[in-house]
Each structure stands twice: as C-alpha cells, then as structure tokens.
Amino acid sequence: MTPWGPKGLPKTLLWTLLGLNLLAFTLAVLTLNYSREHYREQAFVATRNIAQLLERDLTADLDRIDQILTDVQTEVEQQLIAGALQPAALDQLLSRRSYRLDERDALRVADAQGRLIYGLPPGLSSQVQIADRPYFQRMQSDSSPGVQLSEPVVSRVTGRWSLVVARRLTDPWASLPALCTWPCAWMVWSSALPAWT
C-alpha cells in the first residue's frame, strides 16, 4: 500500500505537521537568539556612549576647575612675591572664581598647617582643619605642582560628601606648601548620571 492511500494519509499528515512544527520552533529559537544578541549590542553601545559622555563631562569640569586653581595659585604666588597676602583681595578673587562653577562648593585656601584660611563662609572660623586628610598629606609630601583629586570625603565645612580637587601652593621663600582646594559636591556628578540614561 502506498503512503498516499487511505490508511497512509494520516501518517504522512502527522509527519508533515511535526516537520513544520520543528521548523517553526527552530526559526523561533534563531529569531530569539538574534534578538537577544541585537539587544545586547544595543546595551553595549548605549553603555559606551554614556561612559564617553561622562568622561567628557568630568574632563571638562576638571579642566575648568584646574584652570581656576591655576589662576588662584598664580595670584597667591604673585602676592607672596610682592611681600604679603592681601586677604580682602584674595577673598574677592576666590568669590569671583567660585561663581564660574556655580554648582560646586566654594573655592578655599588652606595654609601649610592644614587650616582653611580663605574662602570660608561668613561666620565660620578658620579652625577647620584638613591636615589629617590623605590628599593634604600627599600634597604636603609631594612637591609636584600638579592637580590632585581626593577620595570621596565628608566636607568639614558643608557636611556633604565631596571630591576635593586641590593644587599645591608654595611660598617662594619659605617653601611652605599650602593648598588651593575646590571641594566639588559628589552629588553634582553622581546626579548627572540619571539624566544621561
């Protein structure tokens, strides 16, 4: 009897249906696999783009902060060469420079003993000490004039988590290191992340 006879038709139809189901299942698996790979690639590209934006934004912020710290460093060193620091002029300079990056904390200057002496909010005495901070100790022992970024610390002035960007100041005669610091509120950079996602 042939498979197309009356008794062979159900068997042929059954095998054809099984073959078509197997083909449909295989196509579904392949499509899902391709879709997963496609979304994985999209996630990789999106993550890379966000990382590049974050890097560009942080680099631009740090470059602006470094330029401001360099300007203050130059002014302090010129005042020291001229004979003495002029507190009113220095506080005015710090206030003007702080205004350029309005989302950040104020620009401050610490002396060689680690006391914040300029750039403090009104009413706060100069008894705020940063001498025990690792970034201050690193910069005191390292004579390179470059900018340094601290680990996240709780600001003793504002009480908020901050990253301190600091540049070493040196008295041309006494070689006493001091720091020009810019405590950047940690939340400024970390809050920018959700806006990019």
Side-chain angles (χ1 to χ4, degrees):
M1 175 136 318
T2 66
W4 298 105
K7 291 188 178 178
L9 185 60
K11 258 188 196 179
T12 305
L13 188 58
L14 179 66
W15 285 109
T16 304
L17 285 175
L18 283 175
L20 287 174
N21 282 339
L22 182 62
L23 179 65
F25 179 76
T26 304
L27 287 175
V29 168
L30 290 174
T31 302
L32 287 174
N33 191 38
Y34 171 77
S35 178
R36 185 185 70 195
E37 291 299 320
H38 177 71
Y39 282 112
R40 182 181 291 162
E41 179 66 25
Q42 280 184 328
F44 174 76
V45 169
T47 302
R48 187 182 64 216
N49 289 343
I50 290 171
Q52 287 174 347
L53 285 172
L54 181 61
E55 178 187 15
R56 201 172 306 144
D57 191 50
L58 289 177
T59 301
D61 276 355
L62 289 174
D63 286 345
R64 281 194 310 252
I65 292 168
D66 186 36
Q67 182 59 50
I68 290 170
L69 292 178
T70 302
D71 292 347
V72 172
Q73 178 185 26
T74 302
E75 178 64 26
V76 167
E77 289 172 356
Q78 286 175 352
Q79 285 186 18
L80 288 172
I81 289 171
L85 287 177
Q86 301 164 356
L90 191 56
D91 273 332
Q92 191 176 39
L93 172 71
L94 295 175
S95 177
R96 267 195 332 266
R97 295 298 188 200
S98 293
Y99 183 73
R100 291 183 69 190
L101 291 172
D102 55 353
E103 293 180 335
R104 310 302 189 259
D105 288 335
L107 186 59
R108 298 187 178 90
V109 175
D111 64 11
Q113 289 74 40
R115 291 183 310 240
L116 293 177
I117 54 174
Y118 296 107
L120 291 169
L124 190 62
S125 72
S126 63
Q127 297 304 314
V128 178
Q129 280 282 340
I130 59 169
D132 62 330
R133 301 288 182 147
Y135 67 89
F136 183 84
Q137 294 167 355
R138 271 194 317 270
M139 292 195 81
Q140 247 189 344
S141 63
D142 182 10
S143 62
S144 66
V147 69
Q148 291 213 8
L149 185 64
S150 78
E151 62 284 341
V153 295
V154 176
S155 170
R156 292 190 176 140
V157 175
T158 65
R160 295 183 302 194
W161 282 97
S162 301
L163 292 174
V164 178
V165 182
R167 181 173 279 283
R168 180 185 170 105
L169 305 174
T170 304
D171 182 338
W173 290 284
S175 296
L176 292 174
L179 290 184
C180 181
T181 65
W182 189 284
C184 302
W186 175 249
M187 291 306 293
V188 171
W189 283 329
S190 62
S191 66
L193 290 175
W196 289 336
T197 56

